[in-house]
C-alpha cells in the first residue's frame, strides 16, 4: 500500500477534513494517507523544504513553492467580513514602531500586516503563544488566527481587523480574504495526484455535509481545542460550502493577494493561481 503524508494545521477545519478520511468515509484504493498536525508556519517552512507530499499552507507562501508544489483546489479557508485580528491590551496606544507578534513569516496575515504597518517591529512565535505575549507585555500587539479570534481574553481589544486591511488594499473590489489552502508535491505521478485531489475534495465535502455527526465525534475524542459552541461558530466561518472547491471569485482573490505581494516587493514574479493547478482534463485526454 502506498503511503502519502498529509500535513495539516491543528485547527478545527483541517481536522474536519482529515478525520472524514480517518473514519473511513472516503476510500482511496491502495493508498494510505498518514496525517501530521503542526502549526501553519511550521507547515509553511516544511513545504519550503519539500518535506510532505500534501501540505496545508498559507496562500501567501505559494509563490515561493510553485515550482515544487501544485496548488490544490480544496480544503481552503477564506474570510468573508472576518479573519485574523490585530489585538492589543485594552486602552493602550500603539506607537508607529510598535512591537508585534505574528504567527509566521510566510502567513497571509503577515504579508498584509507588513504592507499596512511597514515600521512595526515584528517577532514571530507559535500562534498559541501570541495572546499571552500581549497580555504579559512581551509585545505591544499581536495578530490572532484560528479559533483565537473567537476566544481571546477580555483584557484585550481589537486594534485592526486584517479583513479591513485587505478591503483597503483591494481598491473597491469585493473579494474574500484568502488565508490558507493545500498543495501537492509535483513529483507525484499525475494520475495519482488527480486521485488524491479528488479524495480530498470528497473528504471536505463529506465532512461539511455530515458536520452534525462529525463534530461531536471529534469533541468526544478530545481532538478539538474549543467547546461545542465555539466549534460551531468556527466551522461556520472556515469549514463550509466555500471550503470544498475553489471558485472563480476565490481564484481572483488569491491572484489579488499575489499581485499585492509582487507590487510591494515580497515576490520576484507575478503569477496567476489557475496556472499552477493539477490539470483536470488529463484523465479525459488519456482515455482518448
Amino acid at each position: 500500500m502506498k503511503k502519502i503524508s498529509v500535513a495539516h494545521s491543528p485547527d478545527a477545519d483541517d481536522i474536519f477534513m482529515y478525520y472524514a478520511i480517518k473514519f473511513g468515509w472516503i476510500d482511496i484504493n491502495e493508498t494510505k494517507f498518514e496525517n501530521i498536525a503542526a502549526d501553519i508556519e511550521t507547515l509553511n517552512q516544511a513545504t519550503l523544504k519539500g518535506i510532505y507530499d500534501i501540505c496545508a499552507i498559507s496562500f501567501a507562501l505559494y509563490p515561493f513553492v510553485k515550482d515544487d508544489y501544485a496548488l490544490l483546489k480544496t480544503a481552503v479557508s477564506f474570510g468573508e467580513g472576518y479573519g485574523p485580528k490585530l489585538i492589543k491590551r485594552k486602552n493602550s496606544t500603539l506607537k508607529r514602531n510598535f512591537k508585534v507578534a505574528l504567527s509566521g513569516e510566510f502567513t497571509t496575515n503577515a504579508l498584509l500586516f507588513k504592507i499596512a504597518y511597514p515600521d512595526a517591529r515584528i517577532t514571530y512565535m507559535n500562534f498559541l503563544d501570541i495572546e499571552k505575549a500581549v497580555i504579559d507585555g512581551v509585545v505591544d500587539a499581536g495578530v490572532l488566527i484560528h479559533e483565537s479570534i473567537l476566544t481571546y481574553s477580555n483584557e484585550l481589544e481589537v486594534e485592526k481587523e486584517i479583513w479591513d486591511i485587505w478591503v483597503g488594499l483591494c481598491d473597491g473590489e469585493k473579494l474574500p480574504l484568502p488565508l490558507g489552502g493545500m498543495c501537492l508535491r509535483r513529483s507525484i505521478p499525475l494520475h495519482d495526484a488527480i486521485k488524491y485531489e479528488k479524495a480530498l475534495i470528497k473528504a471536505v465535502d463529506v465532512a461539511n455535509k455530515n458536520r452534525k455527526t462529525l463534530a461531536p465525534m471529534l469533541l468526544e475524542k478530545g481532538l478539538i481545542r474549543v467547546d461545542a459552541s465555539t466549534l460551531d461558530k468556527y466551522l461556520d466561518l472556515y469549514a463550509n460550502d466555500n471550503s470544498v472547491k475553489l471558485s472563480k471569485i476565490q481564484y481572483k482573490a488569491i491572484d489579488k493577494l499575489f499581485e499585492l505581494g509582487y507590487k510591494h516587493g515580497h515576490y520576484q514574479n507575478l503569477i496567476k493561481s489557475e496556472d499552477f493547478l493539477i490539470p483536470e482534463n488529463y484523465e479525459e485526454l488519456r482515455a482518448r
Side-chain angles (χ1 to χ4, degrees), residues 25 43 47 60 81 136 148 194 215 237 270 284:
W25 296 356
L43 298 181
T47 305
D136 292 347
S148 298
I194 292 170
L237 300 179
L270 181 60
E284 178 185 341

Short mmCIF file of all heavy atoms in Angstrom, two decimals, residues 25 43 47 60 81 136 148 194 215 237 270 284:
data_model
loop_
_atom_site.label_atom_id
_atom_site.label_comp_id
_atom_site.label_asym_id
_atom_site.label_seq_id
_atom_site.Cartn_x
_atom_site.Cartn_y
_atom_site.Cartn_z
N TRP A 25 -14.76 7.25 5.82
CA TRP A 25 -15.85 7.76 5.00
C TRP A 25 -15.43 7.96 3.55
O TRP A 25 -16.26 8.11 2.67
CB TRP A 25 -16.38 9.07 5.57
CG TRP A 25 -16.99 8.92 6.94
CD1 TRP A 25 -17.17 7.76 7.64
CD2 TRP A 25 -17.48 9.97 7.79
NE1 TRP A 25 -17.75 8.02 8.86
CE2 TRP A 25 -17.95 9.37 8.98
CE3 TRP A 25 -17.57 11.35 7.65
CZ2 TRP A 25 -18.51 10.10 10.02
CZ3 TRP A 25 -18.12 12.08 8.69
CH2 TRP A 25 -18.59 11.47 9.85
N LEU A 43 4.27 24.31 8.95
CA LEU A 43 3.92 23.68 7.68
C LEU A 43 4.45 24.49 6.50
O LEU A 43 4.91 23.92 5.50
CB LEU A 43 2.41 23.50 7.58
CG LEU A 43 1.77 22.60 8.64
CD1 LEU A 43 0.27 22.48 8.41
CD2 LEU A 43 2.41 21.21 8.66
N THR A 47 7.10 22.99 3.83
CA THR A 47 6.85 22.98 2.40
C THR A 47 8.02 23.60 1.64
O THR A 47 8.40 23.14 0.56
CB THR A 47 5.54 23.72 2.09
OG1 THR A 47 4.48 23.13 2.85
CG2 THR A 47 5.18 23.60 0.61
N ALA A 60 -0.15 32.98 1.04
CA ALA A 60 0.96 33.90 0.81
C ALA A 60 2.28 33.18 0.57
O ALA A 60 3.20 33.74 -0.03
CB ALA A 60 1.10 34.85 2.00
N GLY A 81 -15.65 39.04 5.52
CA GLY A 81 -16.02 40.02 6.53
C GLY A 81 -15.38 39.74 7.87
O GLY A 81 -15.67 40.41 8.86
N ASP A 136 1.04 39.80 28.74
CA ASP A 136 2.21 39.94 29.62
C ASP A 136 3.12 41.11 29.25
O ASP A 136 4.11 41.37 29.95
CB ASP A 136 3.03 38.64 29.60
CG ASP A 136 2.30 37.48 30.25
OD1 ASP A 136 1.29 37.72 30.93
OD2 ASP A 136 2.75 36.32 30.07
N SER A 148 -8.57 31.41 18.04
CA SER A 148 -8.25 32.51 18.97
C SER A 148 -9.02 33.77 18.65
O SER A 148 -9.24 34.61 19.54
CB SER A 148 -6.75 32.81 18.94
OG SER A 148 -5.99 31.71 19.36
N ILE A 194 -4.16 13.44 -9.35
CA ILE A 194 -5.58 13.66 -9.62
C ILE A 194 -6.43 12.85 -8.64
O ILE A 194 -7.42 13.35 -8.08
CB ILE A 194 -5.92 13.29 -11.08
CG1 ILE A 194 -5.24 14.28 -12.04
CG2 ILE A 194 -7.43 13.28 -11.30
CD1 ILE A 194 -5.31 13.86 -13.50
N ALA A 215 -18.75 16.55 14.17
CA ALA A 215 -18.31 17.48 15.22
C ALA A 215 -18.36 16.85 16.62
O ALA A 215 -17.38 16.92 17.37
CB ALA A 215 -19.14 18.76 15.16
N LEU A 237 -17.42 29.76 9.97
CA LEU A 237 -16.51 30.70 9.32
C LEU A 237 -15.61 30.02 8.29
O LEU A 237 -15.43 30.53 7.17
CB LEU A 237 -15.62 31.38 10.38
CG LEU A 237 -16.31 32.20 11.46
CD1 LEU A 237 -15.27 32.79 12.42
CD2 LEU A 237 -17.16 33.31 10.88
N LEU A 270 5.16 37.81 -10.78
CA LEU A 270 3.71 37.85 -10.64
C LEU A 270 3.12 36.60 -11.28
O LEU A 270 3.39 36.31 -12.45
CB LEU A 270 3.16 39.10 -11.32
CG LEU A 270 1.64 39.29 -11.25
CD1 LEU A 270 1.17 39.40 -9.80
CD2 LEU A 270 1.23 40.53 -12.04
N GLU A 284 -9.25 12.63 -19.08
CA GLU A 284 -10.07 12.59 -20.31
C GLU A 284 -9.19 12.46 -21.53
O GLU A 284 -9.47 11.66 -22.44
CB GLU A 284 -10.90 13.89 -20.38
CG GLU A 284 -11.76 13.98 -21.63
CD GLU A 284 -12.47 15.31 -21.75
OE1 GLU A 284 -12.59 16.02 -20.72
OE2 GLU A 284 -12.89 15.64 -22.87
#
